[in-house]
Amino acid sequence: MVDKAVTVAVDKLGARLGRVDSATMIEVDRALAVFLGIAK
């Protein structure tokens, strides 16, 4: 469960672990919009 969103500096990120298909990324985008209160 996530209770707050935070930003992370690019230099703090490590190597990529994999890929996400476009359908899954759309689901993530929608969930984030709901979490931020900009969508229902």
Side-chain angles (χ1 to χ4, degrees), residues 6-40:
V6 296
T7 59
V8 178
V10 173
D11 60 330
K12 299 290 183 188
L13 299 175
R16 291 183 185 172
L17 297 175
R19 294 179 180 253
V20 176
D21 61 56
S22 60
T24 302
M25 199 64 229
I26 289 170
E27 290 182 43
V28 171
D29 288 343
R30 288 180 180 157
L32 183 58
V34 169
F35 176 79
L36 295 172
I38 57 176
K40 293 183 180 182

